[in-house]
Amino acid sequence: MSVLRIDAAGPATSVQDGGRFGFLRYGLSSAGAMDRTAHETANALVANASQAPVVEIGPFPARFAAEVGPVRLALAGAARAADIGNRRVAFGESFVLAPGEVLSLGAARGGVFSYLGIAGGIAGTPMFGSFSVHARADLGSPLPRPLAAGDKLEVAAADPHAGEWRLALPPQDTSPIRVVLGPQDDWFGDAAVAQFLDAEWQVSPASDRMGYRLLGPKIAAARGHNIVSDGIALGQIQVPGDGQPLVLMADRGTTGGYPKIAAIVSADLGRFAQTPAGTNVRFAAVPIDDAQRIARHWRQKLAALPLARETAARPPPTSEALLAANLAGAAVNALDPKLWTHNE
Amino acid sequence: MALPAAFRIRPCGDAALTVEFGDTVDPDLNAQVLGLDADVAAAKLPGVVETIPTYRSLFVQYDPVAADFASLSQALQSLAENAKPHAASGRCWRIPVVYGGEMGFDLEDVARTHGMSPSEIAKRHQAATYRIYMIGFTPGFAYLGGLDQSIATPRRAAPRAVTPPGAIMIGGVQACVQCQAAPSGWHVLGRTPMRNFLPSREPMFLMAPGDNVRFHAIELRDWPALERDAARGLPVAELVSA
């Protein structure tokens, strides 16, 4: 056994896994990693099960130290400077933190959440099927709250004989965030829906794991902003009376009485969650059938992450090899190493 | 059962949908929702992950790899056509409440609004049998139908930033049992030591949509012992047949 000690975390760092399911009907949302692609990538890099718990690191600088024994780690998600002493650590590649060493991370750049995969996982008893911290509900394991300086996580000791893994990370995608309209788009009327899709929105600093507020033109629903409360999906966009949309995220309330104009497609939710406050974002509507094809394609890509993993000593896979592994064409450009050296 | 004219199934993104029976608060609509909810659970439709029965719609979370919107909608529509309205679970929670004073700081205001005594408001609040229409907003927050119309009170003009855990509130024609502290524009008539949601307890939640609820007054001096019991995981509320 080893220990991962948290020396600095910022206010938005917590243990997360794939989420907690089955309690929506009781008012409890799933929690879980905000960027599922980055979460599963971090796990693939340390050869964990895809839904294993990781440390989701908020946008502020953070420091982690190994105690007792070595810890094998890997970083994915929002880019940031990463150093162990004067040794640079690359995203998308596993590494060992020896006892006494400190991993120092800068503030997130061009993103919000980074994910720290820990080989062998984090010790703890899942609470109702999940490690995920849901701060408002006092749930989570091993701690039912976000991490703070001084916390210690019991983790598996790194296998000294195991090699390191690397994975070509996808390139930054700045295309519009895709949404499916509904269920109450008819409450808004065509003009308001068009206005929502045409607008350039800015993510408000008043955003967290519960929801992201968007600043932009005032969206007025033709039939008003009060509906009889109904269920709220992950990524759903509700518009209260002030006309400023709120995107409901992993720690959301499960029901609400504002009309919902659209919902972000699963494949783009992580990318949206990685939009820093003050950054602009646009939306594009896709039909439900297309959205579901996109969802299935994305899930295939996630399932293929362990296949795409390469031992770090070997050269990165060729684009032909990636295509043969049934990966998306979009991953090919990720082989440009310039995209993945974040420590310039 | 004949589907209401407003019946429709709409996507909530690519992994959830809502089966809408209407857009009003209505016990008959809610009974149809709960009927379909029970049938969906029994049917074990491929891909369905979980559901949220609400006032007037059934929210269905599903796996888009295992089910697509069009065929799942079709399956749900035919279940809805054959579902029997489901009025109640047959369970009733008898919930202890300290009315008025510091525990129910809006009771006197509500009484003044209706020209009644605080004890008359509390009496009418206890006389009704409520049904849990849905649970949502925050973990364990139960939305109740069945409030005596003579004590229905419009929401406060200025919502409070915090109302306490266990708050027993009314807002408009609705009533509720709140579990966690939260902002609210509803009127706090009293407070219960019962914890519908307690993460350290198995089960984590006690009440379910479709359950009935009745309230009974307890004295403030009984509060400390009951609150201790509730924190230890005892239900405190009594479960009886409806």
Side-chain angles (χ1 to χ4, degrees):
Chain A
M1 196 211 63
S2 295
V3 167
L4 188 68
R5 188 184 74 223
I6 289 81
D7 286 352
T13 295
S14 61
V15 171
Q16 296 292 338
D17 59 14
R20 187 176 288 105
F21 300 97
F23 300 101
L24 288 177
R25 61 172 44 238
Y26 302 108
L28 179 66
S29 49
S30 61
M34 292 282 276
D35 180 346
R36 192 168 156 188
T37 304
H39 163 233
E40 294 200 21
T41 301
N43 274 327
L45 283 165
V46 291
N48 281 352
S50 65
Q51 305 304 310
V54 301
V55 177
E56 180 181 86
I57 305 163
F60 304 97
R63 283 197 318 279
F64 301 89
E67 289 184 0
V68 185
V71 185
R72 179 165 280 110
L73 304 170
L75 287 160
R80 55 178 93 209
D83 302 279
I84 302 171
N86 46 25
R87 174 160 61 106
R88 283 284 156 105
V89 174
F91 275 56
E93 192 166 321
S94 66
F95 57 92
V96 170
L97 190 67
E101 287 186 325
V102 176
L103 170 67
S104 294
L105 301 174
R109 287 201 302 261
V112 179
F113 295 107
S114 306
Y115 291 83
L116 186 64
I118 303 164
I122 299 168
T125 307
M127 281 183 91
F128 299 95
S130 170
F131 282 71
S132 287
V133 170
H134 193 309
R136 285 175 177 83
D138 300 324
L139 281 167
S141 182
L143 297 162
R145 56 165 173 80
L147 293 169
D151 286 343
K152 293 181 179 190
L153 299 175
E154 285 187 23
V155 299
D159 174 359
H161 304 296
E164 306 303 342
W165 296 101
R166 60 176 292 171
L167 204 47
L169 301 178
Q172 195 104 32
D173 180 356
T174 54
S175 59
I177 300 290
R178 292 165 293 187
V179 297
V180 177
L181 293 179
Q184 283 103 22
D185 48 321
D186 54 338
W187 274 70
F188 291 85
D190 292 346
V193 170
Q195 189 188 19
F196 169 75
L197 294 172
D198 289 343
E200 184 109 36
W201 296 97
Q202 193 183 78
V203 173
S204 156
S207 297
D208 59 17
R209 286 184 46 89
M210 195 174 178
Y212 279 31
R213 286 177 197 286
L214 301 177
L215 307 172
K218 189 170 150 56
I219 301 292
R223 292 176 62 190
H225 291 266
N226 283 296
I227 60 167
V228 175
S229 293
D230 66 354
I232 295 178
L234 180 62
Q236 218 158 22
I237 305 168
Q238 69 179 23
V239 186
D242 67 2
Q244 300 295 278
L246 174 65
V247 186
L248 285 315
M249 303 298 278
D251 292 359
R252 69 197 180 279
T254 53
T255 60
Y258 299 118
K260 290 161 277 288
I261 194 167
I264 295 174
V265 305
S266 328
D268 287 355
L269 256 172
R271 187 156 68 85
F272 174 75
Q274 294 287 14
T275 312
T279 304
N280 288 351
V281 62
R282 299 179 78 95
F283 297 101
V286 292
I288 178 65
D289 291 350
D290 291 358
Q292 297 200 308
R293 267 194 296 278
I294 294 165
R296 290 188 273 268
H297 182 65
W298 171 63
R299 292 273 291 274
Q300 278 168 5
K301 281 204 286 183
L302 292 184
L305 283 171
L307 303 175
R309 190 170 62 203
E310 289 287 322
T311 55
R314 289 156 64 182
T318 62
S319 52
E320 289 75 22
L322 276 178
L323 287 171
N326 197 23
L327 280 172
V332 170
N333 293 334
L335 294 174
D336 181 354
K338 285 198 296 293
L339 288 163
W340 303 115
T341 45
H342 296 292
N343 300 316
E344 67 277 3
Chain B
M1 111 187 132
L3 295 177
F7 181 90
R8 62 178 195 166
I9 299 178
R10 297 281 291 144
C12 300
D14 57 37
L17 57 79
T18 178
V19 182
E20 289 187 358
F21 289 85
D23 56 10
T24 55
V25 176
D26 177 312
D28 294 337
L29 282 185
N30 188 243
Q32 289 185 303
V33 171
L34 294 177
L36 177 61
D37 185 48
D39 288 357
V40 168
K44 297 195 181 350
L45 299 176
V48 170
V49 178
E50 55 184 310
T51 58
I52 312 175
T54 77
Y55 281 110
R56 44 65 173 240
S57 61
L58 185 69
F59 177 92
V60 180
Q61 180 85 49
Y62 65 98
D63 177 356
V65 173
D68 66 81
F69 177 74
S71 45
L72 182 56
S73 297
Q74 215 159 38
L76 289 166
Q77 169 135 8
S78 71
L79 279 180
E81 282 162 358
N82 296 304
K84 287 195 175 55
H86 178 86
S89 69
R91 308 197 308 170
C92 182
W93 294 94
R94 288 190 70 245
I95 297 179
V97 178
V98 177
Y99 284 94
E102 65 188 77
M103 296 293 193
F105 38 75
D106 292 327
L107 182 64
E108 294 204 6
D109 273 354
V110 171
R112 257 193 301 279
T113 305
H114 295 285
M116 295 180 197
S117 66
S119 62
E120 181 61 25
I121 299 286
K123 195 177 123 197
R124 293 186 188 203
H125 185 257
Q126 290 169 71
T129 298
Y130 302 84
R131 191 172 78 219
I132 301 177
Y133 274 117
M134 69 173 194
I135 296 178
F137 178 47
T138 55
F141 184 107
Y143 289 86
L144 308 178
L147 181 68
D148 182 335
Q149 297 296 302
S150 67
I151 62 169
T153 314
R155 293 177 203 192
R156 290 168 52 85
R160 284 200 170 80
V162 182
T163 53
I168 300 299
M169 304 190 284
I170 60 172
V173 299
Q174 294 177 264
C176 78
V177 181
Q178 169 162 281
C179 197
Q180 294 195 297
S184 179
W186 293 24
H187 306 273
V188 180
L189 301 187
R191 213 177 145 191
T192 180
M194 178 203 194
R195 300 196 186 190
N196 184 31
F197 168 59
L198 188 63
S200 60
R201 179 186 61 209
E202 180 89 66
M204 181 161 51
F205 294 96
L206 296 176
M207 302 193 289
D211 288 355
N212 284 338
V213 166
R214 288 183 67 90
F215 299 106
H216 65 97
I218 57 166
E219 298 299 323
L220 184 58
R221 64 171 176 274
D222 297 330
W223 175 274
L226 285 171
E227 197 189 28
R228 263 197 309 276
D229 285 350
R232 283 197 296 133
L234 297 181
V236 176
E238 196 188 346
L239 184 58
V240 296
S241 308

